[in-house]
Amino acid sequence: MDSISIEDLTITFVSTNYPRKLVRHLREIKKYQICKSEKGIYYVYGDQIPIQILVASQLDPSENLWLRSLTNNLHERQMARKLIDEYQKHEKNVLYQSMMDVIVRANTQQFNREDKRMCEALRELMEEEFEAERGKARREGLKEGRSEAVKTVVSNLLEMNMPIEEIIKVTGESEEIVYKMIEELRG
């Protein structure tokens, strides 16, 4: 309890398009002020907890590649190629691993339909990652290593404010296991 101070929290809404109804509600009903910080980033003032709204379609792709890609509707082949290039530069970083895993899992159908070579490249990339995790898990004890890897992914997804239902889908774990991991992470 109170392990994270309320001053250290931020509520982030991520939307593909500008959320007119939400903004109207925040302005008219809640009487909050909404200020555009930069393309695709809006700050909401008036609540005790800082709030921001990210509009993925408005974000500058050259500066916000990873944020723009957190969608289940990734169609731009160039963006996917940039993601792979950036990922390869940082493939040892757990946050990049988690982000790439989420993006690939969320966009499997799009990649299968649109560009078989892209899908294969992503699968190979992720397979390398999974193989590395499997190897690590074997060294540490298969069950413990897998559990820790999944717990790291769950932790990173929680930090990105992903809904628990989506975390369950992404990890492929049961609802019970995911909730248990969340309890461990928060407790």
Side-chain angles (χ1 to χ4, degrees):
M1 182 169 226
D2 291 332
S3 63
I4 299 174
S5 168
I6 198 161
E7 290 84 23
D8 294 332
L9 296 176
T10 300
I11 298 172
T12 303
F13 294 98
V14 181
S15 178
T16 302
N17 298 309
Y18 187 78
R20 291 183 191 342
K21 288 181 182 178
L22 172 64
V23 169
R24 186 178 315 118
H25 174 81
L26 293 173
R27 282 189 174 139
E28 294 174 8
I29 306 299
K30 300 299 273 180
K31 303 296 184 205
Y32 292 170
Q33 291 183 342
I34 300 173
C35 300
K36 185 175 185 177
S37 169
E38 59 185 82
K39 286 174 61 175
I41 301 176
Y42 300 83
Y43 291 114
V44 180
Y45 299 100
D47 197 87
Q48 184 178 3
I49 300 174
I51 301 172
Q52 63 183 353
I53 300 171
L54 301 178
V55 182
S57 62
Q58 294 178 4
L59 292 169
D60 182 345
S62 63
E63 294 179 22
N64 299 290
L65 176 66
W66 291 93
L67 286 175
R68 276 187 58 104
S69 301
L70 283 175
T71 175
N72 64 352
N73 198 18
L74 185 64
H75 289 291
E76 299 173 37
R77 291 179 186 160
Q78 276 186 314
M79 188 180 296
R81 290 198 189 286
K82 286 180 185 176
L83 278 170
I84 290 172
D85 292 342
E86 281 300 307
Y87 176 76
Q88 287 175 329
K89 293 176 190 172
H90 307 281
E91 63 187 283
K92 301 288 186 221
N93 184 309
V94 175
L95 185 56
Y96 279 87
Q97 292 169 4
S98 298
M99 297 274 287
M100 192 62 158
D101 185 48
V102 169
I103 292 165
V104 170
R105 288 176 188 259
N107 290 283
T108 302
Q109 289 180 347
Q110 285 88 341
F111 285 120
N112 278 332
R113 275 197 314 261
E114 292 187 18
D115 188 341
K116 293 238 182 252
R117 287 177 301 187
M118 180 61 67
C119 186
E120 287 171 19
L122 286 170
R123 279 194 191 131
E124 285 174 21
L125 247 179
M126 297 315 291
E127 188 58 34
E128 288 174 19
E129 198 58 51
F130 292 138
E131 283 303 318
E133 284 297 322
R134 283 186 203 128
K136 183 179 175 185
R138 280 187 207 108
R139 288 188 299 276
E140 295 175 2
L142 191 59
K143 194 172 182 179
E144 258 181 59
R146 165 128 173 75
S147 177
E148 286 304 310
V150 172
K151 195 182 292 185
T152 300
V153 170
V154 168
S155 175
N156 290 331
L157 296 175
L158 284 171
E159 286 179 26
M160 295 184 301
N161 298 316
M162 182 173 278
I164 293 174
E165 297 79 33
E166 292 299 313
I167 293 173
I168 292 167
K169 287 180 192 174
V170 167
T171 61
E173 296 292 340
S174 72
E175 185 175 321
E176 180 183 352
I177 290 173
V178 171
Y179 277 108
K180 186 176 179 181
M181 287 181 178
I182 292 170
E183 248 179 64
E184 289 174 16
L185 289 166
R186 290 183 177 162

